[in-house]
Amino acid sequence: WPASSVTALRQFETEIAFFQANTDGLVVDVTRNNGGDGCYAQELLRRMIPYQFQMIGFEMRASNRLVNAFSNFLEVAKRSGAEDWQITLHQAQLDAIVTANQENRGRTGTLSVCGPTIEQLPAAVVYTKPMMMLTDDFSTSAADAIAAIFQDANRGPIFGHRTNGAGGAVSVIDEGVFSEATPRVTLSLMVRPKAVSVEGYPTTRYVENVGIHPDIPFDFMTVENLRSGRRLFTEAFTRAVVEHINRQ
């Protein structure tokens, strides 16, 4: 994710304003995107979805470590003079994690971790014309989330392969004294606003292990496509987005 999300969003809005004025449609490519700051990714969507929509929620696996972390978030918010809604949000998150931590293998309900609610309104600068998103099996974590929100909001078709379904917030854990390994473990589950049913998978609201399945499937990893230098893939999604623009 960017060193400064404020600067990055300002640059992104400049590009969105240009595209709004000079294009008939837009293709967003999150293939080979292994994620990053999910809240920043969701802010990008506020510049791409021109109506009210719902973000991804998170179900947290409670632990003493998370209790301490969210206690610290609350204390920092109070001492830094945060707005009342921010303090209320941190307090509600902490209360939910403390309650779940007192249960056997407890998990919280669905929490909004990027703002006071999962309901979101578009930003002042937003793209209003037809859009399509490209995904593959390396679209991971925040890329899972951005594809899920895009699809759930009916913003446009998703083209390609299902996303990785790898999970939400992760933590790096030391693996013993001598191994020098540092595995990354998911501490939360991404929860979509509505249950989704796709062939071969259970009906679920979770992103993990299911991923986001494309509306227009296309297998990127074929000998013909790789030998052509992605030409077949590029031609296919170009045809698809043109058809989508014409339908709109």
Side-chain angles (χ1 to χ4, degrees), residues 50-106:
Y51 43 80
Q52 184 171 337
F53 63 98
Q54 291 185 320
M55 298 292 197
I56 284 286
F58 289 86
E59 188 177 292
M60 309 294 290
R61 173 69 171 89
S63 66
N64 288 338
R65 183 176 181 178
L66 273 184
V67 170
N68 291 335
F70 277 81
S71 296
N72 183 61
F73 296 155
L74 175 60
E75 189 63 27
V76 169
K78 290 179 177 178
R79 292 182 179 230
S80 62
E83 297 181 28
D84 289 343
W85 71 263
Q86 294 172 309
I87 294 174
T88 300
L89 174 63
H90 286 304
Q91 185 65 63
Q93 292 171 340
L94 176 59
D95 292 344
I97 291 171
V98 168
T99 298
N101 194 46
Q102 295 170 348
E103 301 171 353
N104 182 29
R105 300 179 65 82

Side-chain angles (χ1 to χ4, degrees), residues 192-203:
R192 302 176 75 166
K194 297 180 181 179
V196 176
S197 296
V198 291
E199 184 177 356
Y201 293 82
T203 298

